[in-house]
Amino acid sequence: MPNEQTSIDPGAAETQLGPSVSVQVNPEDSVPFRPEPVFISLGLKRDVFVGFSGGNAAPNPDPMGIPPVDLKTENGLLKAFLLLGFEPGPDTTPFGFSMPAIFRASAAFRETVDLPGLNVPMPPAVIGQQPPVIKPGMIQNYMALQANFFQMSLAPLQAKLREARVPFTQGGIPAPEDLRPQLFLVEQYQLASFRGDLARDDLVDSISLSPGGSMTYKVIIKKRTSASNELTSTVLDSQDREAKDNFNKQLKDTADKRSGTNNYDYGFEGSFHGEASVEIGGGSADARVHARGSTNEVRQDFAESTTSAIDSQVSETNRSRKQSIETGREDTQTDEQTESVREKTAHNPTAQPVNVGIFLLKEEFVSVLSLVDVEIAYRNGDANQDRQVPLRKLGELLDAVIERPEDRTEIAATIKALLEGIADYQDEIRSIVKPDPSSPLGFSRDAQLRSEYRLLKSDGTLRRTFSVKGIPIRGCERSLRRPNITVELPIAGI
């Protein structure tokens, strides 16, 4: 069994935070976590929409002569890809692991919509060539990323199905008279997590070393039981599917509680959602200021919910990681609940006795939530009539779904004003749009937009500056226990 050797320095200063060492990484080297998009309803009245001005619903598009495919099932998703001409392709079993057919079909589809394919983060053949000791971890990371890319492909998939007139369902479709048309800002955020300082955490055990003496102890890692539902990682430090699903569910549950159980079902699935209030017909400056304020309130609610979800995951993961680790002396026996054992030997090189604490180690994460993309969606409760477009195609969408030309002009101007009035983490007003002569409305999303996030010390002075994509809405610093790691420090009074 390998043995780690540690020499204790009794002159080391014991502080409240313990040892700290600055560790920085470039967030572009990893894949920032992207929550499900945020839907912000514009709250438009029903009679501004095509087919609803007289109280009647617009007719359904003429579909293919086939039963609707169910996008909530694996078979339905695979059939949808096949109907669009995207075959799953060969499995990855020759390289030591298997990939679901819908992931492989999605990869073929993603190559047509500018999303990563099967070779990200690396080709499966490269993974198959790796040594057995690191191969499982690489497979886990690869599959987590492919699952993330699969989720990103679902919105473009629905758009392609509608273009091809392929009928699909995501649950029950309401009767035409019950349809409620609405426009939404569809805002995409990313959570970039920067690794910060390392510091000691809770005391696990303590030992006493005589002058010139040493002691060997064991770090015992316990197996996670099948009955345990606690998280073992968070979206801050992992691309683990369980952590991502848990995070998105918390956001969705928070939004549902805010809007009430009787809120109309637009099929938001796992997305956070809220409502602004846009008045069409007045065009007053006060009305736009009110709409801007209510839109920023939704963003702040989302930021609060994000912070709450982070706190919940950090608390649960820290508790899980502490419960999984024990220490024992050199002769301590292990049992079937032990996953692994590591020996460590602490040395006292001085002529004085030393009391040594065995501590868990925690790592700081600085997380920045940024708004990085905005599209516009039309929904009325029937998934077959859903439409979603980038900002540069806003004019085409308004022509298709808004009845009167004067309303289209006012709605476009209002959306532009809302996106030019985004409150950032310092409550400064920022814009995510730029002039675009190629767009019929003269503007589009600024895809090159980057911002600085300033992390301050407790005295208000600058500690560090981070560069992030888009507009930073909220930042937070949290400490996460390093899994299965201990550190020895001299202490007094034990």
Side-chain angles (χ1 to χ4, degrees):
M1 181 185 303
N3 187 296
E4 300 177 25
Q5 306 289 316
T6 304
S7 183
I8 304 300
D9 177 10
E14 162 69 13
T15 67
Q16 183 177 0
L17 289 179
S20 66
V21 55
S22 181
V23 180
Q24 299 185 46
V25 298
N26 182 352
E28 302 301 333
D29 292 341
S30 58
V31 179
F33 171 64
R34 286 204 172 191
E36 294 292 331
V38 175
F39 284 78
I40 304 179
S41 167
L42 296 186
L44 299 173
K45 293 182 178 179
R46 177 187 176 100
D47 62 5
V48 305
F49 291 94
V50 170
F52 292 86
S53 57
N56 297 317
N60 286 330
D62 183 27
M64 286 183 176
I66 60 173
V69 293
D70 187 356
L71 299 187
K72 284 194 172 182
T73 68
E74 188 169 331
N75 287 338
L77 283 164
L78 182 57
K79 185 175 181 180
F81 284 120
L82 291 173
L83 286 169
L84 294 175
F86 298 100
E87 300 283 342
D91 200 353
T92 53
T93 48
F95 311 117
F97 63 101
S98 179
M99 179 177 292
I102 55 172
F103 281 19
R104 288 178 273 130
S106 167
F109 168 70
R110 295 196 305 264
E111 293 175 357
T112 68
V113 292
D114 198 27
L115 286 174
L118 279 180
N119 291 332
V120 178
M122 65 186 63
V126 174
I127 298 176
Q129 298 169 357
Q130 302 306 309
V133 67
I134 65 172
K135 188 174 178 179
M138 296 182 70
I139 291 174
Q140 182 180 16
N141 183 56
Y142 176 83
M143 292 296 289
L145 286 175
Q146 286 295 315
N148 192 28
F149 299 147
F150 171 77
Q151 291 296 323
M152 293 168 63
S153 75
L154 294 183
L157 171 66
Q158 292 177 26
K160 292 293 184 182
L161 291 173
R162 282 187 283 272
E163 288 179 13
R165 294 293 189 261
V166 176
F168 64 90
T169 64
Q170 297 183 91
I173 298 177
E177 61 270 19
D178 294 330
L179 298 180
R180 300 184 188 179
Q182 194 53 255
L183 288 180
F184 298 86
L185 301 179
V186 184
E187 299 191 338
Q188 183 69 65
Y189 292 79
Q190 78 170 24
L191 187 66
S193 295
F194 303 76
R195 295 180 184 271
D197 295 335
L198 298 176
R200 73 152 177 83
D201 196 28
D202 291 350
L203 180 71
V204 178
D205 200 352
S206 63
I207 56 178
S208 296
L209 298 178
S210 59
S214 64
M215 179 177 290
T216 296
Y217 71 95
K218 293 178 179 178
V219 179
I220 304 170
I221 310 303
K222 309 299 286 186
K223 292 180 181 177
R224 187 187 186 194
T225 64
S226 58
S228 174
N229 293 320
E230 287 194 323
L231 293 173
T232 58
S233 61
T234 73
V235 295
L236 306 185
D237 67 330
S238 171
Q239 290 290 326
D240 180 74
R241 179 67 178 272
E242 182 182 9
K244 291 189 291 187
D245 289 348
N246 171 276
F247 194 89
N248 282 320
K249 184 178 185 303
Q250 290 193 59
L251 296 181
K252 175 66 162 49
D253 289 348
T254 300
D256 288 345
K257 289 177 182 177
R258 289 174 56 254
S259 59
T261 57
N262 294 323
N263 194 52
Y264 188 73
D265 183 12
Y266 285 106
F268 292 130
E269 300 302 323
S271 294
F272 190 91
H273 48 91
E275 183 170 342
S277 180
V278 175
E279 296 180 11
I280 298 301
S284 69
D286 287 345
R288 287 189 180 174
V289 169
H290 174 74
R292 176 187 292 182
S294 59
T295 306
N296 279 321
E297 286 178 5
V298 174
R299 296 185 183 111
Q300 291 305 312
D301 287 342
F302 174 66
E304 290 285 353
S305 298
T306 299
T307 302
S308 177
I310 289 173
D311 287 340
S312 175
Q313 287 202 340
V314 167
S315 176
E316 189 172 335
T317 300
N318 278 341
R319 183 169 57 250
S320 172
R321 290 178 177 179
K322 182 177 182 180
Q323 291 172 347
S324 70
I325 191 168
E326 297 178 356
T327 59
R329 296 302 178 254
E330 192 172 9
D331 58 354
T332 299
Q333 300 297 309
T334 58
D335 55 27
E336 66 277 1
Q337 296 302 317
T338 299
E339 180 175 297
S340 64
V341 179
R342 187 172 69 253
E343 283 191 352
K344 300 183 75 174
T345 299
H347 300 276
N348 176 13
T350 72
Q352 302 294 325
V354 177
N355 290 321
V356 178
I358 303 170
F359 296 91
L360 299 174
L361 194 63
K362 62 185 178 182
E363 182 175 21
E364 178 190 37
F365 283 84
V366 180
S367 298
V368 184
L369 180 72
S370 301
L371 174 60
V372 297
D373 195 3
V374 181
E375 293 188 335
I376 308 298
Y378 168 80
R379 293 196 176 188
N380 64 15
D382 180 353
N384 291 289
Q385 298 188 44
D386 289 354
R387 296 187 62 174
Q388 186 166 320
V389 299
L391 279 179
R392 57 186 171 80
K393 292 188 176 182
L394 172 61
E396 298 176 19
L397 178 63
L398 295 181
D399 288 344
V401 303
I402 301 299
E403 182 77 45
R404 294 176 288 273
E406 61 270 23
D407 288 344
R408 297 174 209 152
T409 300
E410 187 172 349
I411 292 171
T414 299
I415 289 174
K416 182 173 182 285
L418 294 179
L419 299 180
E420 289 176 331
I422 299 169
D424 72 1
Y425 75 105
Q426 294 178 311
D427 209 25
E428 295 180 357
I429 299 302
R430 303 282 304 280
S431 173
I432 199 172
V433 299
K434 66 174 183 179
D436 184 355
S438 68
S439 169
L441 295 177
F443 68 92
S444 63
R445 176 180 68 92
D446 186 355
Q448 304 303 315
L449 180 62
R450 295 193 68 86
S451 305
E452 285 190 349
Y453 176 79
R454 294 165 54 84
L455 179 64
L456 303 180
K457 300 177 182 178
S458 57
D459 61 3
T461 59
L462 181 65
R463 177 183 170 194
R464 196 175 300 168
T465 300
F466 301 101
S467 175
V468 296
K469 185 177 180 181
I471 299 175
I473 303 297
R474 181 69 60 89
C476 68
E477 303 92 55
R478 297 294 184 269
S479 292
L480 192 61
R481 287 190 176 114
R482 280 281 189 93
N484 309 331
I485 300 295
T486 59
V487 63
E488 298 81 26
L489 288 173
I491 55 176
I494 293 184

